[in-house]
Amino acid sequence: MKYARAKGAPYTPIYFLSSLGAGGLVVSFFMYLMFLTPHKGSPIPYFNTIVPAFQNGSIPMQAMIAVAVIGIIVFAFLHFKTLLWNVSEYRKWKNTDAYSVFVKGNNESQLMAMPLAFAMTVNMSFIVGAVLVPGLWEVAQYLFPFAVIAFLVTAYYALKIFGDFFGRVLTEGGFDCAKNNSFGQMLSVFAFAMIGVGFSATTAMSHNIPLVITAFFLSAIFIMAAVVLGAIFLVMGFRAMMEHAAEKETTPTLWIIIPFITVVGIAIFRMFKSLDHNFGVEWANGSIFSFLMMLFAIQLVFGFLGFVVMKRVGYYGHYVSGEAISPGAFTLICPGVSIFVFANFVINPGLAGLGVVDQLSYVHLALYVPLVLVQIKTVMTYFRLNNKMLHNEPSAPASIVPAE
């Protein structure tokens, strides 16, 4: 079954965010297994810990595991389906005049949505394999070098795209700051952060010390590149928005800071944990709690700012529940996923690690109620956007709004 864009809608690499969102939802369902099922002696749950937890668990535990595994399977399928569709569409679009015009303007950086989605593929595939393939985790140590290679290939592709864009605007000029009235440029550095968090997984879970150090170094490079360049684009975007007002269609980019913080935060968390596991350099629970809470606070600040602006311009009613077509609406999926994922770290290594709440107590589970509501809303939005913009058959003409 093949996808078709809403009739009349031009292709844009922003459609890769549909694949990114599905991969992110895989990670969100994995969080239930990660923090609510026993996996003593292993940094993550895997097939051989999940099956006993299901067989010996209570009915609520069995229901939770079933929902999590089904969610992982469904959204992994959607990730690969939308990824393959995007690759096919991109290859055709690259040979058009529209592409030639595209790479001469501000929007060239949107091409970074491709390595961003590919990095998510590698991250997500590791989760899917661990959960669904019996015995895979037992040989995981032999797979980590291949994971590093996969991320190196993705990193090369990302650097090539970003180098072409950054090199052009710094040597030829032509970057229109007035049209940069959003955080759209943050997409490029988000890709670097996603690659960095991928390297950090090997750092945290491998026992091969040379590989751990190599992955640590590579993760540090891409995380710091993301932070430094992100600070530059953040200032540029705020300045343009305050002078020219935020562009209505791109207001969801105000929330891109939320997934950016999640990915950077998890990468740093893994790197410090690696020092603990591999070198005995302990990271105190109080420091972990403070670190996670500070980053979570930043996410809530930008969550509030984005909500205020999008409500004021009527974004949701126009581009999500309304008839207007804007591929940039897929940007809404990542913040929902990311706030859910990072809040899991705040609740578990943060609050539970500090001893504020007991694992699986009523208070602990009650903290999940707002998170589940966020996840449900995110899933509903994902399917609404997919049904609206990606169809199995071409639909009737819709109100098309070109991406800026």
Side-chain angles (χ1 to χ4, degrees), residues 205-216:
M205 293 184 282
S206 175
H207 301 315
N208 182 326
I209 299 302
L211 186 64
V212 167
I213 295 299
T214 300
F216 192 107

Side-chain angles (χ1 to χ4, degrees), residues 104-187:
K104 295 178 181 178
N106 288 17
N107 287 345
E108 184 184 5
S109 63
Q110 291 179 6
L111 293 173
M112 291 291 283
M114 292 187 290
L116 174 59
F118 296 150
M120 173 59 80
T121 300
V122 182
N123 282 314
M124 184 211 69
S125 296
F126 193 88
I127 288 174
V128 173
V131 171
L132 300 180
V133 181
L136 184 66
W137 182 252
E138 278 73 10
V139 297
Q141 294 299 320
Y142 299 102
L143 299 178
F144 287 129
F146 296 101
V148 170
I149 292 172
F151 281 113
L152 279 172
V153 172
T154 307
Y156 171 79
Y157 187 43
L159 288 170
K160 185 177 184 304
I161 293 173
F162 188 79
D164 288 342
F165 167 70
F166 213 59
R168 176 179 64 81
V169 298
L170 290 186
T171 58
E172 300 176 13
F175 187 84
D176 193 337
C177 292
K179 291 184 177 180
N180 188 46
N181 52 342
S182 72
F183 288 160
Q185 297 301 326
M186 288 291 294
L187 181 68

Side-chain angles (χ1 to χ4, degrees), residues 126-307:
F126 193 88
I127 288 174
V128 173
V131 171
L132 300 180
V133 181
L136 184 66
W137 182 252
E138 278 73 10
V139 297
Q141 294 299 320
Y142 299 102
L143 299 178
F144 287 129
F146 296 101
V148 170
I149 292 172
F151 281 113
L152 279 172
V153 172
T154 307
Y156 171 79
Y157 187 43
L159 288 170
K160 185 177 184 304
I161 293 173
F162 188 79
D164 288 342
F165 167 70
F166 213 59
R168 176 179 64 81
V169 298
L170 290 186
T171 58
E172 300 176 13
F175 187 84
D176 193 337
C177 292
K179 291 184 177 180
N180 188 46
N181 52 342
S182 72
F183 288 160
Q185 297 301 326
M186 288 291 294
L187 181 68
S188 57
V189 295
F190 185 23
F192 287 149
M194 187 67 73
I195 293 169
V197 80
F199 284 125
S200 74
T202 295
T203 297
M205 293 184 282
S206 175
H207 301 315
N208 182 326
I209 299 302
L211 186 64
V212 167
I213 295 299
T214 300
F216 192 107
F217 177 62
L218 291 170
S219 181
I221 289 175
F222 283 93
I223 291 299
M224 290 301 101
V227 170
V228 172
L229 293 170
I232 294 171
F233 291 144
L234 194 67
V235 173
M236 289 173 59
F238 259 130
R239 185 193 182 285
M241 282 187 284
M242 289 183 172
E243 182 175 355
H244 304 285
E247 173 64 33
K248 180 177 180 178
E249 188 185 356
T250 58
T251 50
T253 62
L254 288 166
W255 277 354
I256 200 171
I257 302 301
I258 297 174
F260 181 81
I261 290 292
T262 291
V263 172
V264 169
I266 291 175
I268 296 174
F269 178 87
R270 286 172 169 176
M271 293 164 78
F272 274 98
K273 281 295 185 180
S274 173
L275 296 178
D276 188 351
H277 297 158
N278 291 301
F279 305 102
V281 181
E282 185 178 358
W283 194 19
N285 288 334
S287 298
I288 294 173
F289 173 77
S290 300
F291 170 74
L292 294 173
M293 273 298 191
M294 293 297 182
L295 295 185
F296 191 56
I298 297 174
Q299 290 181 315
L300 294 180
V301 169
F302 278 91
F304 171 74
L305 293 176
F307 172 77

Side-chain angles (χ1 to χ4, degrees), residues 11-24 79 82 86 110 112-114 116-117 187 190 253 256 327-334 382 386 390:
Y11 182 75
T12 165
I14 290 298
Y15 278 109
F16 273 93
L17 297 185
S18 63
S19 181
L20 177 71
H79 169 81
T82 52
N86 269 288
Q110 291 179 6
M112 291 291 283
M114 292 187 290
L116 174 59
L187 181 68
F190 185 23
T253 62
I256 200 171
F330 281 113
T331 308
L332 294 170
I333 307 304
C334 285
Y382 178 82
N386 252 25
L390 300 175

